[in-house]
Amino acid sequence: MQIKQIAYIRSDFVEKFGIPRQSNLADTRAEIHFLPEYQNADALREIEAYDYLWLIWEFSESIRDTWSPTVRPPRLGGNRRVGVFATRSPFRPNPIGLSSVKLIGVEFREKEGPVLIVEGADLLDMTPIYDIKPYLPYVDSHPEAKGGFAEEKKDYKLDVNFPEMYLEQIPAEKRAALIQILGQDPRPSYQKDPVRIYGMSYAGMEIHFRVDKETLYVTEVERS
Amino acid sequence: MQIKQIAYIRSDFVEKFGIPRQSNLADTRAEIHFLPEYQNADALREIEAYDYLWLIWEFSESIRDTWSPTVRPPRLGGNRRVGVFATRSPFRPNPIGLSSVKLIGVEFREKEGPVLIVEGADLLDMTPIYDIKPYLPYVDSHPEAKGGFAEEKKDYKLDVNFPEMYLEQIPAEKRAALIQILGQDPRPSYQKDPVRIYGMSYAGMEIHFRVDKETLYVTEVERS
């Protein structure tokens, strides 16, 4: 089936490293901009009756010609193979991503037409979007469901030591989300070297940090 | 983007009329069969750690060449227009469907390879499936979310009067789901004629019924 891009995201993530592992793990703001053909306010009529939306999007940086029946999720340390359909890995037969995001509001702009302001998106900047659907809690929400090996969000909480002089370089409205992202430990699970310095792009800045035991130390911030 | 069919559903719905309005509204059993290239047990390794799956599928009976920014949901009586992205209508720029279904189990069969047994699917028999993902309650579940105009599941409960002589013609294991489907009132919302007889296909049978006030009366059952 041929599907057409209808929109794309504008987010603060310009590289894969540092993107939250799933949606809704950090309150990162992002915008959904429509392609010219779909810039139509009517298409969003009454959308603000919903708190959350589903985005169906393309893992545009993870396209492969072949598929592998198993993948090694970073969450499992990168050495245990599980079936690709038992994961949300980008390396699947069709590179389709699915994320629920919080709808903050709709803005109408002269150039871009209607823009959706959303929170919690785990999408790289400029990711193509193919569909937007309302989140229907009475059919989509199964809070009691078993979540398999991906369940333990809490295991990945680090204390974040972000010296004030570095924090000041981040736009004020983006600080809380950045600290959430860092607290979830953006390192691959199998890298545990306490002296290694990592670099993560966020909102036009390059954040340098290292992790020792349960604390992440920001060591430098520069314009990227 | 070109996406490849990986599987299809085998369900008891051979026509659109009577399909529950959303997933999980009736405990209808269905099977997911993989296309030969994807008949690989490894691809499902550890999938049974999850209670629910997401299916990304094609509204294969609702494909149109053009898109309309607004649609008239049957739930609203068919006369109120809302934005297509504020609905789960099949008539959207890309005919992509999204449903969460309960995973009952995985069976391995000599001819069909691994088969997923699921419950709650709102998919027509033979619908093409493009992706299967685990349902992750910690990111996918928002029980407190506002559900917009699609919220009121309960409004559509009818008493079902299903005479024993007709019920006996339905395979025993399919009776409960059929009564759930009928109780949700499969009629278009704008049709309220108490003498009109409707016909609905289900599991190889044609169910005839009429609805008077809050009661649905089954009037005949025959092989379809």
Side-chain angles (χ1 to χ4, degrees), chain B residues 1 24 88 92 117 122 130 157 182-183 198 206:
Chain B
M1 167 166 63
N24 301 302
R88 302 275 273 249
R92 44 205 319 114
I117 316 296
D122 53 342
Y130 291 85
K157 276 282 172 222
L182 293 170
Y198 297 86
E206 187 78 12

Side-chain angles (χ1 to χ4, degrees), chain A residues 144-147, chain B residues 47-53 101-104 135:
Chain A
E144 76 300 346
K146 279 184 295 174
Chain B
I47 202 165
E48 285 173 291
Y50 300 94
D51 277 337
Y52 288 86
L53 301 177
V101 293
K102 191 162 195 182
L103 176 62
I104 304 300
Y135 184 95

Side-chain angles (χ1 to χ4, degrees), chain A residues 165-182:
Chain A
M165 58 183 277
Y166 296 140
L167 197 57
E168 280 167 2
Q169 293 177 253
I170 310 293
E173 74 281 8
K174 295 185 190 292
R175 289 175 196 167
L178 175 56
I179 290 170
Q180 289 174 325
I181 293 165
L182 293 170

Side-chain angles (χ1 to χ4, degrees), chain A residues 175-195:
Chain A
R175 289 175 196 167
L178 175 56
I179 290 170
Q180 289 174 325
I181 293 165
L182 293 170
Q184 284 157 28
D185 194 354
R187 296 174 305 163
S189 297
Y190 41 89
Q191 290 188 357
K192 294 293 174 215
D193 177 352
V195 298

Side-chain angles (χ1 to χ4, degrees), chain B residues 43-115:
Chain B
L44 301 174
R45 198 190 293 174
E46 299 200 32
I47 202 165
E48 285 173 291
Y50 300 94
D51 277 337
Y52 288 86
L53 301 177
W54 287 111
L55 306 181
I56 293 178
W57 48 279
E58 183 182 351
F59 285 112
S60 46
E61 299 288 299
S62 303
I63 294 172
R64 293 177 175 186
D65 283 339
T66 55
W67 78 291
S68 164
T70 58
V71 296
R72 293 173 300 154
R75 180 59 56 95
L76 297 178
N79 47 27
R80 185 163 132 213
R81 290 201 164 269
V82 297
V84 65
F85 298 125
T87 77
R88 302 275 273 249
S89 163
F91 303 111
R92 44 205 319 114
N94 290 302
I96 304 172
L98 173 67
S99 303
S100 67
V101 293
K102 191 162 195 182
L103 176 62
I104 304 300
V106 183
E107 286 181 13
F108 296 89
R109 298 189 192 149
E110 200 161 332
K111 263 193 187 161
E112 296 140 334
V115 169

Side-chain angles (χ1 to χ4, degrees), chain A residues 1-4 46 80 88 92 94 96 100 130-135 138 140-142 146 150, chain B residues 1-4 46 51 80 88 92 94 96 130-135 138 140-142 146 150:
Chain A
M1 163 166 65
Q2 186 70 37
I3 56 177
K4 298 160 289 189
E46 299 200 34
R80 186 164 131 213
R88 302 275 274 247
R92 47 205 318 114
N94 290 301
I96 305 172
S100 67
Y130 292 85
D131 203 0
I132 297 166
K133 296 179 193 286
Y135 184 96
Y138 79 98
D140 295 336
S141 184
H142 308 291
K146 279 184 295 174
Chain B
M1 167 166 63
Q2 185 71 36
I3 56 177
K4 297 160 292 190
E46 299 200 32
D51 277 337
R80 185 163 132 213
R88 302 275 273 249
R92 44 205 319 114
N94 290 302
I96 304 172
Y130 291 85
D131 203 359
I132 297 165
K133 296 179 193 286
Y135 184 95
Y138 79 99
D140 295 337
S141 183
H142 308 291
K146 280 185 294 175

